[in-house]
Amino acid sequence: MAQDHILTVPAKAKTSPLAKFPAEVRDAHARFLLTRDADALDTVVLAIVRDHQPPAVRAHTPAVPADSARLMEDLGFDSLALAEIVFFIEDLYQVSVSNDDLMTIPTVGALRAFVRNKIALAPLPSHAS
Amino acid sequence: MSRSVLITGLGFVTSIGNDAATVSANLREGRHGMAVHPLCDNPNIAVKVVAPVRDFAVDSPSWRDWTWPERYELPRETLRSLAPHGVYAFCAFEQALADAGLIRADLGDGATGLFCASAGSALMLHHNLAQAHANQFERGNPMGVVSSIAGTLNFNLAAHYGITGAVAGFVSACASSSHAVGYAVDEIRLGRQERMIIVGAEELNADTLLPFAPMRALSVNPDPASASRPFDSARDGFVGTGGSVVLILEEASLARRRGAAAYAEIVGWGQASDGHSVATSHPDGAGLRNAMQRALRDAGVSPAQIDYVNAHATSTPIGDRAEAVALRSVFTEAGARPVVSSTKGLTGHGLSMAGAMEAAFCALALREGWMPGNPHLVHADNSCDGLNLPRETLSVAPSLVLNNSSGFGGSNVCHVLRRA
């Protein structure tokens, strides 16, 4: 497909989405990229969930929420925030999540499982960073 | 009109200061906000001088990278859908609320409205579309639309502050926030709203400013002390700026009941179009002349009663000349000689934000009793013959002032303000 109409991404745009996350999260991300360690991926996903959580609800939520915790009812996400989490993961790992997929992840456990299936088991694109 | 409109709160994030006291001091002392600050890494770009906002870093398209003064508590739920200039607007809004003695809970009773003006965020739009093109529209930021299109200010601020009255955005380029002020005055006069909040904001980055370069509208003068010199015969274009200014307007009886101190009263406004060119002023300033006359008529005052005119003059050769001709037509030919200055010589040109910013400057001048000068003016253009263009700020209290704005397509908007 002809690509010459494509706009150029501004040069300043590409800092890592995880740049402001704790060092252990960035380390886990780097470890996953090297080793495909699914536990390391879990660490990153849970940090992303926590980062996107409304602060008022986060203050009353365990640092590692239970797999049964519901993203909207228990963790305070609205549908846009949920879409933001998914976009963050899409952007980080260069994958696409459909609306149908989105409807299958109501809980933290479902999200962890979904990401493992979608990313850890899929071939890693060379440009994910 | 039996209902009158008072300005009871102001907020500033500008190139000449991020609070009213600093802005006022810099206007009175003629200190400009310009700096040599290239907007992209290309030495071939002739535009070297801009008027940046200090103490904010919002150059990145990712809100995670942004910083702003710590005294403002900007929650993540709001931040995630803002454009960079929305950060300026939030901080100016917080200032204006505090200045007016209001809190967020005062804004949700349906009697308060919000009119905003910005061009949207070219930076965010460019970034989001570039991402979308790169992945062939398979994915994108869910906040991409509301953080980038014109209207981003009103979407975000109305939601954050729980404003349930009239909410809208105005798009008439450099007259946008002056339209917002004018129509807000009407909302209150007509009894539709008791309080209106006006927000003007713009970004200063390559995406917003440098597209004006091919129009030859930007100054290429590399000297920050003279790049913006409205009405000067050597002017060569405008100097861009960003930031945000917020005004709170209240019906006078509401302001009195609350014990709110007023900066000024807005006693009239008017607008007219050139009907002439998409991008340049009518050579006789015909639309601006008509807008001034309509504003004066609406306010019920004569040209001779106006003490000060805050001119739109951006320092472009064509625009300043047209405004000078229009001012002579309205004032000089009527035997009136108000003080005229363009504060863009100090601030740079804030595009959609300019009209609200300068209405706020007029409010400061009316309350504090001074009239800003033209400190960068050396040789006035011969089109200015007969106009009173002092270089220094005058420590003389004006009673009535006129605030001019003009935008693309020949939109012209003028406000008349009176000492409260």
Side-chain angles (χ1 to χ4, degrees), chain B residues 196-227:
Chain B
M196 291 298 301
I197 302 176
I198 315 304
V199 182
E202 287 286 11
E203 284 159 32
L204 176 66
N205 48 44
D207 302 60
T208 292
L209 187 67
L210 294 184
F212 287 92
M215 305 178 83
R216 307 297 191 269
L218 300 178
S219 173
V220 296
N221 178 347
D223 178 7
S226 63

PDB file of all heavy atoms in Angstrom, chain B residues 196-227:
ATOM      1  N   MET B 196     -21.268  34.276  33.601  1.00  0.00           N
ATOM      2  CA  MET B 196     -20.631  33.641  32.444  1.00  0.00           C
ATOM      3  C   MET B 196     -19.119  33.615  32.661  1.00  0.00           C
ATOM      4  O   MET B 196     -18.543  34.603  33.116  1.00  0.00           O
ATOM      5  CB  MET B 196     -20.941  34.403  31.150  1.00  0.00           C
ATOM      6  CG  MET B 196     -22.388  34.325  30.678  1.00  0.00           C
ATOM      7  SD  MET B 196     -22.972  32.656  30.264  1.00  0.00           S
ATOM      8  CE  MET B 196     -21.830  32.170  28.968  1.00  0.00           C
ATOM      9  N   ILE B 197     -18.535  32.503  32.307  1.00  0.00           N
ATOM     10  CA  ILE B 197     -17.072  32.385  32.406  1.00  0.00           C
ATOM     11  C   ILE B 197     -16.524  32.306  30.982  1.00  0.00           C
ATOM     12  O   ILE B 197     -17.005  31.526  30.162  1.00  0.00           O
ATOM     13  CB  ILE B 197     -16.676  31.151  33.228  1.00  0.00           C
ATOM     14  CG1 ILE B 197     -17.303  31.279  34.621  1.00  0.00           C
ATOM     15  CG2 ILE B 197     -15.150  31.025  33.310  1.00  0.00           C
ATOM     16  CD1 ILE B 197     -17.081  30.097  35.523  1.00  0.00           C
ATOM     17  N   ILE B 198     -15.554  33.162  30.715  1.00  0.00           N
ATOM     18  CA  ILE B 198     -14.951  33.245  29.383  1.00  0.00           C
ATOM     19  C   ILE B 198     -13.533  32.703  29.457  1.00  0.00           C
ATOM     20  O   ILE B 198     -12.756  33.131  30.317  1.00  0.00           O
ATOM     21  CB  ILE B 198     -14.839  34.705  28.892  1.00  0.00           C
ATOM     22  CG1 ILE B 198     -16.124  35.477  29.151  1.00  0.00           C
ATOM     23  CG2 ILE B 198     -14.417  34.753  27.429  1.00  0.00           C
ATOM     24  CD1 ILE B 198     -17.340  34.864  28.563  1.00  0.00           C
ATOM     25  N   VAL B 199     -13.201  31.803  28.566  1.00  0.00           N
ATOM     26  CA  VAL B 199     -11.854  31.241  28.527  1.00  0.00           C
ATOM     27  C   VAL B 199     -11.286  31.407  27.120  1.00  0.00           C
ATOM     28  O   VAL B 199     -11.888  30.940  26.148  1.00  0.00           O
ATOM     29  CB  VAL B 199     -11.865  29.736  28.882  1.00  0.00           C
ATOM     30  CG1 VAL B 199     -10.446  29.179  28.873  1.00  0.00           C
ATOM     31  CG2 VAL B 199     -12.527  29.502  30.238  1.00  0.00           C
ATOM     32  N   GLY B 200     -10.158  32.056  27.035  1.00  0.00           N
ATOM     33  CA  GLY B 200      -9.401  32.092  25.785  1.00  0.00           C
ATOM     34  C   GLY B 200      -8.079  31.392  26.027  1.00  0.00           C
ATOM     35  O   GLY B 200      -7.465  31.590  27.086  1.00  0.00           O
ATOM     36  N   ALA B 201      -7.639  30.572  25.089  1.00  0.00           N
ATOM     37  CA  ALA B 201      -6.356  29.880  25.281  1.00  0.00           C
ATOM     38  C   ALA B 201      -5.791  29.459  23.930  1.00  0.00           C
ATOM     39  O   ALA B 201      -6.541  29.234  22.975  1.00  0.00           O
ATOM     40  CB  ALA B 201      -6.524  28.655  26.183  1.00  0.00           C
ATOM     41  N   GLU B 202      -4.502  29.382  23.879  1.00  0.00           N
ATOM     42  CA  GLU B 202      -3.810  28.877  22.685  1.00  0.00           C
ATOM     43  C   GLU B 202      -2.492  28.233  23.098  1.00  0.00           C
ATOM     44  O   GLU B 202      -1.944  28.545  24.151  1.00  0.00           O
ATOM     45  CB  GLU B 202      -3.488  30.017  21.689  1.00  0.00           C
ATOM     46  CG  GLU B 202      -4.678  30.568  20.938  1.00  0.00           C
ATOM     47  CD  GLU B 202      -5.230  29.675  19.837  1.00  0.00           C
ATOM     48  OE1 GLU B 202      -4.825  28.496  19.745  1.00  0.00           O
ATOM     49  OE2 GLU B 202      -6.077  30.165  19.072  1.00  0.00           O
ATOM     50  N   GLU B 203      -2.018  27.360  22.229  1.00  0.00           N
ATOM     51  CA  GLU B 203      -0.689  26.792  22.400  1.00  0.00           C
ATOM     52  C   GLU B 203       0.329  27.619  21.631  1.00  0.00           C
ATOM     53  O   GLU B 203      -0.023  28.285  20.657  1.00  0.00           O
ATOM     54  CB  GLU B 203      -0.660  25.349  21.864  1.00  0.00           C
ATOM     55  CG  GLU B 203      -1.335  24.395  22.805  1.00  0.00           C
ATOM     56  CD  GLU B 203      -1.782  23.114  22.135  1.00  0.00           C
ATOM     57  OE1 GLU B 203      -1.126  22.657  21.187  1.00  0.00           O
ATOM     58  OE2 GLU B 203      -2.798  22.562  22.590  1.00  0.00           O
ATOM     59  N   LEU B 204       1.575  27.527  22.079  1.00  0.00           N
ATOM     60  CA  LEU B 204       2.665  28.101  21.296  1.00  0.00           C
ATOM     61  C   LEU B 204       3.614  26.968  20.951  1.00  0.00           C
ATOM     62  O   LEU B 204       4.381  26.508  21.792  1.00  0.00           O
ATOM     63  CB  LEU B 204       3.394  29.188  22.093  1.00  0.00           C
ATOM     64  CG  LEU B 204       4.615  29.772  21.362  1.00  0.00           C
ATOM     65  CD1 LEU B 204       4.194  30.524  20.107  1.00  0.00           C
ATOM     66  CD2 LEU B 204       5.417  30.692  22.271  1.00  0.00           C
ATOM     67  N   ASN B 205       3.497  26.474  19.743  1.00  0.00           N
ATOM     68  CA  ASN B 205       4.403  25.433  19.264  1.00  0.00           C
ATOM     69  C   ASN B 205       4.460  25.536  17.741  1.00  0.00           C
ATOM     70  O   ASN B 205       3.729  26.328  17.136  1.00  0.00           O
ATOM     71  CB  ASN B 205       3.950  24.033  19.728  1.00  0.00           C
ATOM     72  CG  ASN B 205       2.468  23.797  19.467  1.00  0.00           C
ATOM     73  OD1 ASN B 205       1.978  24.124  18.388  1.00  0.00           O
ATOM     74  ND2 ASN B 205       1.760  23.242  20.443  1.00  0.00           N
ATOM     75  N   ALA B 206       5.325  24.733  17.157  1.00  0.00           N
ATOM     76  CA  ALA B 206       5.511  24.830  15.704  1.00  0.00           C
ATOM     77  C   ALA B 206       4.210  24.573  14.959  1.00  0.00           C
ATOM     78  O   ALA B 206       3.886  25.259  13.987  1.00  0.00           O
ATOM     79  CB  ALA B 206       6.577  23.832  15.257  1.00  0.00           C
ATOM     80  N   ASP B 207       3.431  23.605  15.451  1.00  0.00           N
ATOM     81  CA  ASP B 207       2.211  23.212  14.736  1.00  0.00           C
ATOM     82  C   ASP B 207       1.178  24.332  14.707  1.00  0.00           C
ATOM     83  O   ASP B 207       0.427  24.479  13.741  1.00  0.00           O
ATOM     84  CB  ASP B 207       1.600  21.972  15.390  1.00  0.00           C
ATOM     85  CG  ASP B 207       2.567  20.812  15.412  1.00  0.00           C
ATOM     86  OD1 ASP B 207       3.638  20.965  16.026  1.00  0.00           O
ATOM     87  OD2 ASP B 207       2.266  19.770  14.823  1.00  0.00           O
ATOM     88  N   THR B 208       1.105  25.103  15.797  1.00  0.00           N
ATOM     89  CA  THR B 208       0.143  26.196  15.847  1.00  0.00           C
ATOM     90  C   THR B 208       0.650  27.440  15.130  1.00  0.00           C
ATOM     91  O   THR B 208      -0.102  28.085  14.397  1.00  0.00           O
ATOM     92  CB  THR B 208      -0.164  26.559  17.324  1.00  0.00           C
ATOM     93  OG1 THR B 208      -0.866  25.471  17.914  1.00  0.00           O
ATOM     94  CG2 THR B 208      -1.024  27.813  17.426  1.00  0.00           C
ATOM     95  N   LEU B 209       1.919  27.769  15.354  1.00  0.00           N
ATOM     96  CA  LEU B 209       2.386  29.085  14.895  1.00  0.00           C
ATOM     97  C   LEU B 209       2.993  29.094  13.494  1.00  0.00           C
ATOM     98  O   LEU B 209       2.697  29.984  12.694  1.00  0.00           O
ATOM     99  CB  LEU B 209       3.412  29.647  15.890  1.00  0.00           C
ATOM    100  CG  LEU B 209       3.815  31.089  15.578  1.00  0.00           C
ATOM    101  CD1 LEU B 209       2.645  32.037  15.788  1.00  0.00           C
ATOM    102  CD2 LEU B 209       5.008  31.526  16.397  1.00  0.00           C
ATOM    103  N   LEU B 210       3.848  28.126  13.203  1.00  0.00           N
ATOM    104  CA  LEU B 210       4.640  28.253  11.972  1.00  0.00           C
ATOM    105  C   LEU B 210       3.826  28.172  10.677  1.00  0.00           C
ATOM    106  O   LEU B 210       4.284  28.683   9.643  1.00  0.00           O
ATOM    107  CB  LEU B 210       5.792  27.245  11.975  1.00  0.00           C
ATOM    108  CG  LEU B 210       6.845  27.525  13.060  1.00  0.00           C
ATOM    109  CD1 LEU B 210       8.014  26.565  12.948  1.00  0.00           C
ATOM    110  CD2 LEU B 210       7.345  28.969  13.009  1.00  0.00           C
ATOM    111  N   PRO B 211       2.620  27.582  10.667  1.00  0.00           N
ATOM    112  CA  PRO B 211       1.814  27.696   9.443  1.00  0.00           C
ATOM    113  C   PRO B 211       1.453  29.134   9.070  1.00  0.00           C
ATOM    114  O   PRO B 211       1.033  29.384   7.931  1.00  0.00           O
ATOM    115  CB  PRO B 211       0.559  26.876   9.777  1.00  0.00           C
ATOM    116  CG  PRO B 211       1.056  25.843  10.737  1.00  0.00           C
ATOM    117  CD  PRO B 211       2.049  26.586  11.596  1.00  0.00           C
ATOM    118  N   PHE B 212       1.636  30.083   9.986  1.00  0.00           N
ATOM    119  CA  PHE B 212       1.416  31.486   9.624  1.00  0.00           C
ATOM    120  C   PHE B 212       2.594  32.059   8.826  1.00  0.00           C
ATOM    121  O   PHE B 212       2.462  33.121   8.218  1.00  0.00           O
ATOM    122  CB  PHE B 212       1.211  32.346  10.885  1.00  0.00           C
ATOM    123  CG  PHE B 212      -0.125  32.145  11.542  1.00  0.00           C
ATOM    124  CD1 PHE B 212      -0.286  31.210  12.555  1.00  0.00           C
ATOM    125  CD2 PHE B 212      -1.229  32.891  11.160  1.00  0.00           C
ATOM    126  CE1 PHE B 212      -1.519  31.008  13.171  1.00  0.00           C
ATOM    127  CE2 PHE B 212      -2.466  32.696  11.763  1.00  0.00           C
ATOM    128  CZ  PHE B 212      -2.613  31.758  12.769  1.00  0.00           C
ATOM    129  N   ALA B 213       3.745  31.373   8.852  1.00  0.00           N
ATOM    130  CA  ALA B 213       4.927  31.895   8.159  1.00  0.00           C
ATOM    131  C   ALA B 213       4.731  31.995   6.646  1.00  0.00           C
ATOM    132  O   ALA B 213       5.117  33.009   6.047  1.00  0.00           O
ATOM    133  CB  ALA B 213       6.162  31.064   8.506  1.00  0.00           C
ATOM    134  N   PRO B 214       4.137  30.989   5.996  1.00  0.00           N
ATOM    135  CA  PRO B 214       3.954  31.126   4.546  1.00  0.00           C
ATOM    136  C   PRO B 214       3.031  32.290   4.154  1.00  0.00           C
ATOM    137  O   PRO B 214       3.053  32.728   3.003  1.00  0.00           O
ATOM    138  CB  PRO B 214       3.326  29.783   4.141  1.00  0.00           C
ATOM    139  CG  PRO B 214       3.691  28.834   5.230  1.00  0.00           C
ATOM    140  CD  PRO B 214       3.753  29.653   6.473  1.00  0.00           C
ATOM    141  N   MET B 215       2.204  32.758   5.101  1.00  0.00           N
ATOM    142  CA  MET B 215       1.365  33.925   4.819  1.00  0.00           C
ATOM    143  C   MET B 215       2.165  35.220   4.939  1.00  0.00           C
ATOM    144  O   MET B 215       1.628  36.294   4.709  1.00  0.00           O
ATOM    145  CB  MET B 215       0.193  34.002   5.814  1.00  0.00           C
ATOM    146  CG  MET B 215      -0.652  32.759   5.876  1.00  0.00           C
ATOM    147  SD  MET B 215      -1.972  32.929   7.104  1.00  0.00           S
ATOM    148  CE  MET B 215      -3.186  33.799   6.125  1.00  0.00           C
ATOM    149  N   ARG B 216       3.426  35.085   5.377  1.00  0.00           N
ATOM    150  CA  ARG B 216       4.285  36.254   5.663  1.00  0.00           C
ATOM    151  C   ARG B 216       3.673  37.105   6.778  1.00  0.00           C
ATOM    152  O   ARG B 216       3.776  38.321   6.769  1.00  0.00           O
ATOM    153  CB  ARG B 216       4.514  37.109   4.411  1.00  0.00           C
ATOM    154  CG  ARG B 216       5.028  36.343   3.194  1.00  0.00           C
ATOM    155  CD  ARG B 216       6.404  35.725   3.468  1.00  0.00           C
ATOM    156  NE  ARG B 216       7.039  35.213   2.259  1.00  0.00           N
ATOM    157  CZ  ARG B 216       6.917  33.964   1.799  1.00  0.00           C
ATOM    158  NH1 ARG B 216       6.153  33.087   2.448  1.00  0.00           N
ATOM    159  NH2 ARG B 216       7.564  33.579   0.722  1.00  0.00           N
ATOM    160  N   ALA B 217       3.033  36.433   7.729  1.00  0.00           N
ATOM    161  CA  ALA B 217       2.384  37.161   8.821  1.00  0.00           C
ATOM    162  C   ALA B 217       3.272  37.276  10.055  1.00  0.00           C
ATOM    163  O   ALA B 217       2.965  38.057  10.955  1.00  0.00           O
ATOM    164  CB  ALA B 217       1.077  36.465   9.209  1.00  0.00           C
ATOM    165  N   LEU B 218       4.365  36.490  10.113  1.00  0.00           N
ATOM    166  CA  LEU B 218       5.196  36.463  11.325  1.00  0.00           C
ATOM    167  C   LEU B 218       6.419  37.359  11.181  1.00  0.00           C
ATOM    168  O   LEU B 218       7.030  37.439  10.114  1.00  0.00           O
ATOM    169  CB  LEU B 218       5.662  35.033  11.608  1.00  0.00           C
ATOM    170  CG  LEU B 218       4.567  33.997  11.840  1.00  0.00           C
ATOM    171  CD1 LEU B 218       5.179  32.614  12.056  1.00  0.00           C
ATOM    172  CD2 LEU B 218       3.704  34.386  13.031  1.00  0.00           C
ATOM    173  N   SER B 219       6.798  37.973  12.298  1.00  0.00           N
ATOM    174  CA  SER B 219       8.013  38.783  12.302  1.00  0.00           C
ATOM    175  C   SER B 219       9.237  37.884  12.177  1.00  0.00           C
ATOM    176  O   SER B 219       9.319  36.848  12.841  1.00  0.00           O
ATOM    177  CB  SER B 219       8.109  39.584  13.605  1.00  0.00           C
ATOM    178  OG  SER B 219       9.365  40.243  13.659  1.00  0.00           O
ATOM    179  N   VAL B 220      10.186  38.310  11.361  1.00  0.00           N
ATOM    180  CA  VAL B 220      11.464  37.600  11.268  1.00  0.00           C
ATOM    181  C   VAL B 220      12.577  38.434  11.907  1.00  0.00           C
ATOM    182  O   VAL B 220      13.760  38.131  11.762  1.00  0.00           O
ATOM    183  CB  VAL B 220      11.829  37.233   9.815  1.00  0.00           C
ATOM    184  CG1 VAL B 220      10.807  36.241   9.257  1.00  0.00           C
ATOM    185  CG2 VAL B 220      11.909  38.467   8.927  1.00  0.00           C
ATOM    186  N   ASN B 221      12.183  39.463  12.615  1.00  0.00           N
ATOM    187  CA  ASN B 221      13.139  40.285  13.355  1.00  0.00           C
ATOM    188  C   ASN B 221      13.710  39.455  14.507  1.00  0.00           C
ATOM    189  O   ASN B 221      12.947  38.955  15.342  1.00  0.00           O
ATOM    190  CB  ASN B 221      12.375  41.517  13.886  1.00  0.00           C
ATOM    191  CG  ASN B 221      13.231  42.444  14.709  1.00  0.00           C
ATOM    192  OD1 ASN B 221      14.339  42.093  15.113  1.00  0.00           O
ATOM    193  ND2 ASN B 221      12.707  43.631  14.971  1.00  0.00           N
ATOM    194  N   PRO B 222      15.031  39.258  14.593  1.00  0.00           N
ATOM    195  CA  PRO B 222      15.584  38.380  15.637  1.00  0.00           C
ATOM    196  C   PRO B 222      15.755  39.054  16.994  1.00  0.00           C
ATOM    197  O   PRO B 222      16.231  38.423  17.940  1.00  0.00           O
ATOM    198  CB  PRO B 222      16.955  38.002  15.054  1.00  0.00           C
ATOM    199  CG  PRO B 222      17.337  39.181  14.214  1.00  0.00           C
ATOM    200  CD  PRO B 222      16.056  39.748  13.653  1.00  0.00           C
ATOM    201  N   ASP B 223      15.378  40.321  17.105  1.00  0.00           N
ATOM    202  CA  ASP B 223      15.591  41.063  18.357  1.00  0.00           C
ATOM    203  C   ASP B 223      14.308  41.042  19.195  1.00  0.00           C
ATOM    204  O   ASP B 223      13.305  41.659  18.822  1.00  0.00           O
ATOM    205  CB  ASP B 223      15.981  42.504  18.021  1.00  0.00           C
ATOM    206  CG  ASP B 223      16.176  43.337  19.281  1.00  0.00           C
ATOM    207  OD1 ASP B 223      16.131  42.763  20.395  1.00  0.00           O
ATOM    208  OD2 ASP B 223      16.364  44.563  19.151  1.00  0.00           O
ATOM    209  N   PRO B 224      14.342  40.355  20.358  1.00  0.00           N
ATOM    210  CA  PRO B 224      13.121  40.280  21.180  1.00  0.00           C
ATOM    211  C   PRO B 224      12.589  41.659  21.592  1.00  0.00           C
ATOM    212  O   PRO B 224      11.391  41.809  21.831  1.00  0.00           O
ATOM    213  CB  PRO B 224      13.571  39.485  22.412  1.00  0.00           C
ATOM    214  CG  PRO B 224      14.752  38.709  21.956  1.00  0.00           C
ATOM    215  CD  PRO B 224      15.437  39.573  20.940  1.00  0.00           C
ATOM    216  N   ALA B 225      13.469  42.635  21.658  1.00  0.00           N
ATOM    217  CA  ALA B 225      13.042  43.956  22.135  1.00  0.00           C
ATOM    218  C   ALA B 225      12.314  44.772  21.074  1.00  0.00           C
ATOM    219  O   ALA B 225      11.735  45.811  21.390  1.00  0.00           O
ATOM    220  CB  ALA B 225      14.253  44.740  22.638  1.00  0.00           C
ATOM    221  N   SER B 226      12.349  44.309  19.834  1.00  0.00           N
ATOM    222  CA  SER B 226      11.686  45.110  18.794  1.00  0.00           C
ATOM    223  C   SER B 226      10.902  44.276  17.784  1.00  0.00           C
ATOM    224  O   SER B 226      10.322  44.827  16.853  1.00  0.00           O
ATOM    225  CB  SER B 226      12.723  45.977  18.051  1.00  0.00           C
ATOM    226  OG  SER B 226      13.653  45.159  17.373  1.00  0.00           O
ATOM    227  N   ALA B 227      10.873  42.958  17.961  1.00  0.00           N
ATOM    228  CA  ALA B 227      10.201  42.116  16.956  1.00  0.00           C
ATOM    229  C   ALA B 227       8.711  42.459  16.858  1.00  0.00           C
ATOM    230  O   ALA B 227       8.139  42.488  15.771  1.00  0.00           O
ATOM    231  CB  ALA B 227      10.394  40.645  17.282  1.00  0.00           C
TER     232      ALA B 227
END
